[in-house]
Amino acid sequence: MLGTTRGIATLLGAATAGFLIWLAAQMGNDTAGEYWATYGLVAAAGLTMALSQVLGGWTKWGWPRLSLGVFVIGFLPVAIVGLWLLFSRQPGDPFLNTGSWSDDLGIGGVVSDVGELLAAVAFLVGLTFGFTFDTTGPRVRAYPGQPIEREDTVVDERATDEPLTAERRASLDGDTEETAVDDPPPRVIRQ
């Protein structure tokens, strides 16, 4: 069932992202406002694809949350580089002139080459931001005196109690022989 739900969420995410990309294609790039609206919509398309996986139950129906480690280590460098590239090609009087700064830093050629694919850069920034969201996993209810078990975990208690049960049986029977405690437990094959 989880695969079906994720499949539907992925399809809806792709349809929404496709619509946002089509809408971005209608904007144009002549003014700074049109430029940022266009690439903002493309970034929103990338975000939509990532969130479709979280909302589709990718990690077993938990509550969405922002992962600070992924945000700081994964997203912030991508955002800085992506915005650098987007600012380098902004039409008109740019707010930041990263194009000339790139030449001063000796990376003007790379910025120029990658600048030909700004839609992919904007999509990647949005997608990477979407990856900062994760789910907490299923909620677990614990009552005093009861062991905490996840709802989706099945424990074969017989297999976990076998060594202890064998020792009890030996002591009740009066056996003085040592039981083989170091023997590995039997393998459980799940289908």
Side-chain angles (χ1 to χ4, degrees), residues 1-187:
M1 184 71 166
L2 188 62
T4 304
T5 304
R6 264 189 72 205
I8 292 169
T10 301
L11 177 62
L12 291 174
T16 304
F19 173 74
L20 291 171
I21 290 171
W22 172 82
L23 196 59
Q26 308 306 309
M27 290 289 174
N29 287 337
D30 298 331
T31 66
E34 290 176 346
Y35 177 85
W36 287 107
T38 297
Y39 291 113
L41 286 169
V42 174
L47 176 62
T48 300
M49 287 305 300
L51 290 181
S52 74
Q53 297 304 291
V54 172
L55 298 175
W58 191 14
T59 52
K60 301 184 182 171
W61 301 107
W63 290 100
R65 67 175 175 87
L66 180 79
S67 173
L68 186 62
V70 177
F71 181 82
V72 171
I73 297 170
F75 172 68
L76 284 182
V78 171
I80 290 167
V81 171
L83 288 172
W84 185 282
L85 292 166
L86 288 166
F87 273 116
S88 73
R89 292 294 184 102
Q90 179 182 346
D93 187 22
F95 174 68
L96 294 172
N97 191 0
T98 60
S100 64
W101 296 350
S102 300
D103 293 335
D104 294 343
L105 292 172
I107 58 171
V110 174
V111 170
S112 177
D113 290 344
V114 178
E116 298 297 323
L117 300 170
L118 287 180
V121 171
F123 189 86
L124 180 64
V125 170
L127 184 67
T128 307
F129 180 64
F131 287 161
T132 63
F133 294 96
D134 197 1
T135 52
T136 58
R139 290 190 143 205
V140 178
R141 294 190 186 262
Y143 299 99
Q146 286 185 337
I148 298 175
E149 291 185 23
R150 290 179 41 175
E151 295 171 4
D152 61 343
T153 305
V154 177
V155 178
D156 184 4
E157 292 181 15
R158 291 176 298 156
T160 58
D161 287 341
E162 279 182 10
L164 184 59
T165 304
E167 290 173 5
R168 284 185 190 152
R169 226 181 277 128
S171 67
L172 291 175
D173 292 340
D175 288 343
T176 56
E177 293 180 20
E178 289 193 29
T179 57
V181 176
D182 293 334
D183 288 346
R187 290 181 17 168

